[in-house]
Amino acid sequence: MAAMTVIDRIRAVTADEQGDSRPELAAASHGALTALASWALVVLVTVVAVTTAGGPVGSAVGAGSAVWLGLGGARLGLGAATVALVPLLALAAVVVAARLGARRSLTDLDGSPFVEGGVRDQLASPVLRRCLAWLGGYAGVALLAWAVSAAGPFAVRALSVVLPVLLVPLLALVLAQPALVEPLAERLPASLRRGLVPGLKGAGALVAVGSLLVVAMVVLHISRVLHVHSELGAGVGGGLLLGALQALSLPNLALWGVSWLAGPGFSVSLGADTTWVESQTSLLPMVPVLAAHPDPGAFPWVVRAVVLVPVAVGAWVARDALRGLPRLSRTSTKASAVASAVGVAAVTLGLLDALGGGSLGADRLADIGAPALRMVLALIVTLGIGAAVMLARDWWRLRR
């Protein structure tokens, strides 16, 4: 064909970049383009939404930049209020998009990024230098987005910018190049290495259970949810966007459910706490899904049996950890692996809850959701009970 297709042109440019004598520059440009791609998508959606409502384009671009940083974990300020509720599924999508960009940019890398020697020798490693260049390109665009966000209504909290600027691309880079964390993994205690995967599986299982609990409550109170949605008058476009944001926040709400199962409970506003004992009501934010909040009043005593859910998950986690060990291993070895798995599960959920945030504004909405620290402690206890039962069962079977 006389004319080259767009794909042919892209391949030609890529080939030129791969043949460049400065591969770090090409890696940095790929990192910048990766960040620009997801930034442009979020800004485009924001601009369409704001301009449709009659807002200025400049402010919309600034708001879109702030939203993109917010999806990466940054906290947004609006006057005296702080919006610190990051939809975890949206955050995962940003990380996955960055990982895809990193894999495509660094796909030709082969071997470990580390070499023998000191820090200077490590920095001379071509693999590590390209990885750092990609990270720098992504971080540079994120910092630029922070500067652009000043034109919008949101003030991005300075300390929280570390999350979208460094944590997101670093996590994406590790997922694309697992060899980056091999030296760290080798230095971890053996018990922690044995309990890492079972613990992560346990955390995932609890998030799945919490998600099912949230979906069940929404279905049970669907009429209230739809009523609040209609009262907002968001229109078709706004309604779809609002629905998407609530769907992307399902893991956040699932963590609230996990906290309720473990004991500490959760809060949807000041004075609206839900525990095993009772559900309290107060002024609720106009978010449709929160209309699925349980009716106010005391719960029957049998509701406390929900604690058996994390206990059962703890037993499952312990069984999975024991399965990876020789049957005749020492009891202390088994106990340390099981304890590590329980700790990994509890701490992972606590970190996710802290990352997801717990603020939708000021005053009554300044601190909502699950209390991360108390949830971690309660999970260690409840998961630990189930794990201890499974460990005792294993010990008893070997004694017979």
Side-chain angles (χ1 to χ4, degrees):
M1 296 175 61
M4 295 179 64
T5 64
V6 175
I7 298 298
D8 292 331
R9 292 181 182 274
I10 293 175
R11 288 175 177 171
V13 172
T14 303
D16 291 341
E17 288 177 342
Q18 289 177 347
D20 197 330
S21 59
R22 293 176 294 177
E24 293 84 7
L25 182 60
S29 64
H30 284 147
L33 289 173
T34 299
L36 278 172
S38 60
W39 172 85
L41 178 61
V42 174
V43 169
L44 178 62
V45 173
T46 306
V47 167
V48 170
V50 172
T51 54
T52 300
V57 175
S59 178
V61 173
S65 299
V67 169
W68 181 71
L69 293 169
L71 294 179
R75 276 38 178 166
L76 308 182
L78 188 61
T82 297
V83 179
L85 194 61
V86 181
L88 290 176
L89 278 180
L91 174 60
V94 173
V95 172
V96 169
R99 174 185 176 273
L100 291 175
R103 282 185 62 87
R104 291 181 64 87
S105 304
L106 309 173
T107 186
D108 61 316
L109 293 183
D110 188 20
S112 173
F114 300 100
V115 297
E116 294 183 1
V119 176
R120 182 175 298 179
D121 297 318
Q122 302 295 344
L123 294 176
S125 166
V127 176
L128 184 59
R129 287 172 63 180
R130 285 184 59 183
C131 290
L132 291 176
W134 184 92
L135 180 66
Y138 190 105
V141 170
L143 289 173
L144 182 60
W146 183 23
V148 173
S149 69
F154 298 106
V156 182
R157 305 305 188 196
L159 292 178
S160 67
V161 174
V162 174
L163 297 175
V165 170
L166 288 179
L167 181 62
V168 168
L170 185 60
L171 181 57
L173 196 58
V174 168
L175 293 174
Q177 295 288 326
L180 287 169
V181 294
E182 284 180 358
L184 177 61
E186 292 172 355
R187 295 181 181 180
L188 292 176
S191 59
L192 183 55
R193 292 200 302 270
R194 297 187 185 107
L196 184 60
V197 174
L200 292 177
K201 287 181 180 178
L206 283 171
V207 171
V209 171
S211 299
L212 290 176
L213 182 61
V214 172
V215 172
M217 292 300 295
V218 170
V219 172
L220 185 63
H221 299 100
I222 190 62
S223 60
R224 295 199 317 223
V225 172
L226 294 177
H227 174 72
V228 173
H229 183 86
S230 63
E231 287 294 314
L232 290 174
V236 176
L240 290 174
L241 182 60
L242 181 60
L245 288 174
Q246 292 176 95
L248 293 172
S249 300
L250 178 59
N252 303 66
L253 300 175
L255 290 172
W256 299 10
V258 170
S259 182
W260 179 72
L261 293 172
F266 62 92
S267 173
V268 294
S269 71
L270 182 64
D273 301 322
T274 300
T275 62
W276 291 340
V277 178
E278 63 179 347
S279 173
Q280 300 174 343
T281 187
S282 180
L283 293 176
L284 300 180
M286 289 292 286
V287 179
V289 70
L290 296 184
H293 187 272
D295 295 323
F299 292 130
W301 66 267
V302 72
V303 169
R304 293 168 175 78
V306 296
V307 72
L308 295 177
V309 174
V311 169
V313 172
W316 178 70
V317 166
R319 181 181 179 185
D320 195 33
L322 293 172
R323 191 179 298 154
L325 293 171
R327 182 172 176 79
L328 297 179
S329 296
R330 298 174 58 183
T331 301
S332 59
T333 301
K334 293 181 177 180
S336 61
V338 168
S340 295
V342 168
V344 166
V347 171
T348 297
L349 292 174
L351 289 175
L352 286 175
D353 185 67
L355 186 60
S359 174
L360 273 178
D363 299 328
R364 290 181 175 273
L365 302 180
D367 186 16
I368 66 174
L373 181 58
R374 284 195 291 141
M375 181 179 71
V376 170
L377 296 176
L379 284 172
I380 289 176
V381 173
T382 52
L383 292 172
I385 291 173
V389 170
M390 185 57 64
L391 188 63
R393 176 177 176 270
D394 178 82
W395 175 83
W396 178 254
R397 290 178 63 184
L398 289 178
R399 294 273 296 180
R400 294 175 60 184

